[in-house]
């Protein structure tokens, strides 16, 4: 079974803090993704990576950066958290067109 | 990618088959039909996909009409744990733009005891 894990299920941060969300997959997949999911807005792609040290912006990259130093790990960084970044963050890894998601991190920025 | 239409909600009795329809009348020849589901407070889960033949795996069956304009996901013996939002999406065989997924509103399936 493919396993994608995320470092936290729930996180509360203050405005202006730097936030790190970690994602690890154990299936040697090359492609990994970070999405956020908000009510009424569906799933939106923030960044994706198709190989180690490779990254591409998705549809809403502003306010975020990513890091992929090892194949199994893809990190999402909020440089200076803001209240409009309160959301559910979902990491996924991809095999062909099947994406395998982690459990999600519900981030609240106060 | 072709757009899909699903009913907003459906109910099913536990132990019975749940049949979830999806219309994708503008699907093109090289587009696959994919199904995902999302249980409350969890990440989406891949279920099954197909091109034109019916498909079955340990989770579900996928029936695609001959003209490929619609499909039905079948959960043969629904359980309470199958209560979730089910998303039907169409993806080009060449891959999605960046590989990203875009879900519509989906169908909220509620399985009753």
């Amino acid at each position: 079974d493919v396993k994608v894990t995320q470092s936290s299920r729930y996180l509360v941060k203050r405005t202006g803090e730097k936030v790190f969300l970690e994602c690890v997959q154990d299936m040697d997949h090359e492609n990994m993704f970070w999405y956020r999911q908000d009510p009424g807005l569906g799933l939106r792609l923030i960044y994706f990576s198709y190989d180690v040290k490779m990254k591409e912006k998705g549809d809403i990259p502003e306010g975020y950066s990513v890091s992929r130093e090892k194949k199994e790990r893809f990190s999402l960084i909020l440089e200076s958290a803001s209240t409009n970044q309160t959301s559910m963050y979902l990491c996924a890894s991809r095999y062909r067109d099947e994406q395998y998601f982690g459990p999600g991190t519900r981030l609240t920025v106060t | 990618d072709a757009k899909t239409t699903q009913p907003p909600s459906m109910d099913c009795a536990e132990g019975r088959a749940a049949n979830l329809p999806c219309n994708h009348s503008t699907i093109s020849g090289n587009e696959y039909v994919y199904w995902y589901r999302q249980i409350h407070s969890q990440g989406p889960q891949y279920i099954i996909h197909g091109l034109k033949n019916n498909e079955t795996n340990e989770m579900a069956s996928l029936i695609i009409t001959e003209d490929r304009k619609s499909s039905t996901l079948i959960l043969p013996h629904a359980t309470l744990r199958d209560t979730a939002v089910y998303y039907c999406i169409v993806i080009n065989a060449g891959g999605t733009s960046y590989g990203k997924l875009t879900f519509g509103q989906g169908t909220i399936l509620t399985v009753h005891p």
Side-chain angles (χ1 to χ4, degrees):
Chain A
D1 271 357
V2 177
K3 194 161 185 184
V4 180
T5 57
Q6 295 183 229
S7 48
S8 306
R9 289 300 307 273
Y10 300 95
L11 208 53
V12 179
K13 294 291 182 182
R14 293 192 181 277
T15 301
E17 279 193 84
K18 191 168 186 176
V19 182
F20 293 87
L21 303 182
E22 300 276 318
C23 175
V24 177
Q25 51 97 0
D26 65 357
M27 285 304 292
D28 204 37
H29 291 168
E30 291 182 346
N31 296 169
M32 296 186 73
F33 303 80
W34 275 106
Y35 297 88
R36 63 178 282 179
Q37 188 175 36
D38 302 285
L41 296 177
L43 211 57
R44 293 182 289 169
L45 181 65
I46 305 171
Y47 266 95
F48 69 101
S49 169
Y50 49 89
D51 205 346
V52 176
K53 296 191 185 295
M54 307 301 285
K55 60 187 179 185
E56 292 288 342
K57 293 179 181 179
D59 297 324
I60 51 163
E62 296 78 20
Y64 303 95
S65 62
V66 290
S67 171
R68 188 140 181 231
E69 296 297 317
K70 293 185 178 180
K71 195 172 188 179
E72 66 270 19
R73 189 181 298 270
F74 191 34
S75 303
L76 180 70
I77 303 151
L78 286 67
E79 297 290 343
S80 177
S82 63
T83 54
N84 64 11
Q85 292 178 309
T86 290
S87 185
M88 168 71 92
Y89 289 87
L90 292 160
C91 172
S93 71
R94 175 187 175 200
Y95 173 67
R96 296 187 217 166
D97 269 306
E98 301 159 25
Q99 292 199 19
Y100 298 91
F101 286 82
T105 295
R106 188 164 293 282
L107 172 68
T108 302
V109 182
T110 61
Chain B
D1 293 332
K3 185 177 175 179
T4 62
T5 305
Q6 300 176 252
S9 63
M10 293 184 66
D11 290 329
C12 178
E14 189 176 20
R16 306 298 289 265
N19 299 294
L20 291 92
C22 180
N23 285 321
H24 29 79
S25 57
T26 60
I27 194 170
S28 62
N30 60 350
E31 289 181 318
Y32 286 77
V33 180
Y34 276 74
W35 284 82
Y36 283 78
R37 73 178 182 184
Q38 189 168 18
I39 296 169
H40 182 63
S41 297
Q42 295 185 22
Q45 179 187 22
Y46 165 79
I47 301 173
I48 198 168
H49 74 279
L51 183 62
K52 54 183 178 182
N53 297 321
N54 298 337
E55 302 288 344
T56 294
N57 63 20
E58 64 279 3
M59 288 184 67
S61 295
L62 175 61
I63 309 297
I64 301 174
T65 58
E66 195 168 338
D67 63 8
R68 304 210 321 122
K69 292 185 177 182
S70 65
S71 60
T72 301
L73 179 75
I74 301 172
L75 308 178
H77 305 286
T79 70
L80 299 179
R81 288 177 294 179
D82 291 321
T83 293
V85 182
Y86 286 77
Y87 298 102
C88 167
I89 56 175
V90 173
I91 299 176
N92 192 289
T96 59
S97 174
Y98 311 138
K100 72 176 181 181
L101 293 181
T102 303
F103 293 153
Q105 295 303 308
T107 297
I108 300 171
L109 174 69
T110 304
V111 181
H112 298 285

